[in-house]
Amino acid sequence: MASNTPEVEYKSVEPVLVAAIRMTGKYSDAGKGFSQLGRKFGRHICGKALMLHHDSEYKENDANYEVCMPIRQGSSTENIEVRELSGGPCISLIHLGPYDQIGRAYNKVIEFARQQEHQITRPTREVYLKGPGMIFKGNPKKYVTEIQMLIANLQKLPNAKTGQ
């Protein structure tokens, strides 16, 4: 019997050049950071928006995170850092639906990591495969977000995929 429930997968992510803004506060403020990145690096953006989470647990009002855009080229500015984001082996899960319901997906990935005795490297990542655009909000029920957690203690990936 086929299942609609996404499963945790192993994959390898490649290093990528990103423009990033470090933020502290509510996750709902991330849109302001993404807008800044879009204005500054628009024609150099070459991939999906992503967020790096530096906290080890969910925080409502004082989250420590970075909004990032993959870019082809660019230089750091006063509040935007351009750097290479490291790649490596990770576990990944696709979340379908609104951002305020992503907690269950995180619990599933964290439980999988615990069962497999994986050592997660921070920051964890969210890659926004389908979400609100710069102009239209879109339908949150159709948002697609990939959770990626890099693994520090894994030598060989079982059934790995390669991607961003």
Side-chain angles (χ1 to χ4, degrees):
M1 175 182 236
S3 170
N4 272 354
T5 306
E7 294 300 319
V8 177
E9 296 181 338
Y10 289 98
K11 69 187 284 185
S12 180
V13 293
E14 298 297 321
V16 62
L17 184 67
V18 296
I21 299 175
R22 188 78 172 245
M23 301 178 75
T24 302
K26 295 182 179 192
Y27 294 115
S28 59
D29 295 336
K32 296 172 190 169
F34 284 123
S35 292
Q36 282 184 320
L37 293 173
R39 284 191 303 274
K40 175 70 177 158
F41 293 96
R43 65 188 178 99
H44 297 293
I45 294 171
C46 61
K48 300 293 185 183
L50 60 138
M51 185 182 296
L52 305 178
H53 298 273
H54 295 278
D55 296 314
S56 60
E57 59 188 21
Y58 175 79
K59 293 192 175 181
E60 186 75 30
N61 296 310
D62 61 344
N64 181 4
Y65 62 94
E66 286 178 271
V67 293
C68 303
M69 296 297 287
I71 58 172
R72 284 186 275 285
Q73 64 182 29
S75 301
S76 295
T77 66
E78 186 177 314
N79 68 328
I80 300 173
E81 181 185 9
V82 172
R83 70 177 191 279
E84 185 173 270
L85 191 60
S86 64
C90 79
I91 50 177
S92 165
L93 179 69
I94 301 294
H95 167 71
L96 306 170
Y99 302 135
D100 63 1
Q101 295 176 10
I102 202 166
R104 288 186 299 244
Y106 268 95
N107 290 339
K108 188 172 185 176
V109 177
I110 290 166
E111 178 60 20
F112 179 87
R114 188 190 65 72
Q115 288 176 356
Q116 301 300 316
E117 299 180 356
H118 291 316
Q119 186 177 17
I120 300 301
T121 302
R122 292 208 196 323
T124 60
R125 305 174 185 189
E126 287 180 8
V127 180
Y128 302 109
L129 304 176
K130 183 177 181 185
M134 297 298 277
I135 298 170
F136 299 110
K137 181 180 178 188
N139 181 348
K141 292 180 181 177
K142 295 185 177 182
Y143 291 173
V144 180
T145 307
E146 181 181 9
I147 299 168
Q148 296 177 348
M149 295 187 181
L150 272 66
I151 305 167
N153 62 337
L154 190 64
Q155 302 303 316
K156 183 180 175 197
L157 285 177
N159 304 321
K161 294 182 178 182
T162 302
Q164 180 181 334

